Amino acid sequence: MLRVMILTIVYICVLYLLISLFWRWMCRNHYFPCPVWLIWVLDILNLSITSRESGTEKTLRRMGLSPGQIVLDVGPGAGRLLIPASKCLLPRGKVIGLEIQFEMARLLRDRAKKAGVNNFSIVLGDATKLNFRPGCFDLIYFCAVLGEISNPQKALENCRAALKTEGHLTVTDLVCSPLYLSPRTVIALAEKAGFRLSSKRGYWYFYTLNFAKLKE
Ligand SMILES: C[S@@+](CC[C@H](N)C(=O)[O-])C[C@H]1O[C@@H](n2cnc3c(N)ncnc32)[C@H](O)[C@@H]1O
């Protein structure tokens, strides 16, 4: 019995690794955002056994959201972070989800409605063509998204312009994400886009990097 269980786990891990490698390879030639039918993989990070130590709750603690902030969630997916984040911002604060896929945005809206959240809005758009008023956000976060964006450098530069002078950027990634970026890569991209690393939480396999916006 134990042998069967171990073998099943090994098969699942190998299969996941093969899918991840295929996905990375595909993304070299085509733009391929996380499909709606795969969102259950991220939902695993929302379970009570994963959330506190390796998932949603831990990421939210590391980002340091506070009530009243105006926040941008880039690539919110089905709202795994956006829904609890919007609760952390009450009263008066709000989160805007910038999502590139229409179907994903619809799923997010349905889930947020079900969760009774209303201090949020969804904008359908591409982070590389951000069209927000300059200096309108207190905090912008990316979670398991930056590697999926066709031009992450451009997306970070756009975010810099959309942040207030004292605004913060935070980037979280997990090694299980097929388009994972290492902390070193993210720091290099963010510094080039005009940010300074202010704190680093976690380890290479599940990290959150917090950045301050550099003055002109
Ligand atoms: C892997 S999911 C992560 C979802 C969520 N951040 C989480 O951690 O649960 C990535 C999401 O980013 C979106 N996305 C990818 N490229 C984008 C872009 N250029 N602009 C906005 N959203 C994008 C995808 O459609 C997808 O919903």
Side-chain angles (χ1 to χ4, degrees):
M1 183 65 184
L2 185 69
R3 204 162 155 245
V4 174
M5 271 175 67
I6 292 172
L7 273 175
T8 311
I9 292 170
V10 170
Y11 282 141
I12 291 172
C13 291
V14 171
L15 188 67
Y16 188 78
L17 189 72
L18 290 174
I19 292 173
S20 298
L21 289 173
F22 176 69
W23 195 330
R24 280 191 95 91
W25 174 80
M26 280 268 295
C27 288
R28 287 188 176 194
N29 306 309
H30 307 280
Y31 181 59
F32 190 57
C34 173
V36 174
W37 60 266
L38 247 187
I39 215 68
W40 63 269
V41 175
L42 287 159
D43 286 341
I44 293 175
L45 301 171
N46 236 352
L47 302 174
S48 48
I49 49 165
T50 49
S51 183
R52 259 187 79 76
E53 288 315 316
S54 57
T56 309
E57 234 184 281
K58 191 154 201 167
T59 307
L60 287 169
R61 278 203 306 274
R62 287 172 173 178
M63 294 194 309
L65 300 173
S66 37
Q69 284 181 325
I70 306 297
V71 171
L72 179 69
D73 178 335
V74 183
R80 182 179 67 88
L81 286 157
L82 184 144
I83 293 168
S86 57
K87 292 179 184 165
C88 299
L89 305 175
L90 289 168
R92 289 198 307 274
K94 142 175 199 163
V95 53
I96 289 96
L98 176 73
E99 175 54 57
I100 200 166
Q101 299 183 79
F102 177 76
E103 283 306 319
M104 194 69 91
R106 195 153 67 176
L107 180 63
L108 164 61
R109 193 197 54 207
D110 292 348
R111 284 194 179 185
K113 235 187 205 172
K114 237 184 223 165
V117 165
N118 48 34
N119 58 329
F120 79 98
S121 53
I122 304 169
V123 175
L124 202 59
D126 183 344
T128 63
K129 299 175 189 133
L130 217 63
N131 206 5
F132 292 103
R133 193 165 38 84
C136 64
F137 294 108
D138 296 293
L139 190 143
I140 299 182
Y141 67 85
F142 292 75
C143 182
V145 175
L146 201 57
E148 215 173 272
I149 294 176
S150 53
N151 186 345
Q153 185 70 57
K154 181 77 185 141
L156 292 176
E157 285 165 12
N158 290 342
C159 288
R160 187 180 180 281
L163 276 171
K164 292 180 182 172
T165 315
E166 304 300 326
H168 284 87
L169 166 79
T170 132
V171 182
T172 298
D173 216 342
L174 300 105
V175 77
C176 61
S177 164
L179 297 169
Y180 163 87
L181 293 179
S182 70
R184 189 198 290 227
T185 306
V186 173
I187 293 170
L189 287 168
E191 285 179 346
K192 206 169 159 204
F195 292 97
R196 174 182 54 80
L197 183 68
S198 53
S199 68
K200 188 174 171 181
R201 313 282 302 273
Y203 299 96
W204 64 271
Y205 53 87
F206 171 37
Y207 67 84
T208 299
L209 301 172
N210 295 317
F211 297 91
K213 176 175 170 172
L214 283 176
K215 310 259 179 316
E216 296 288 344

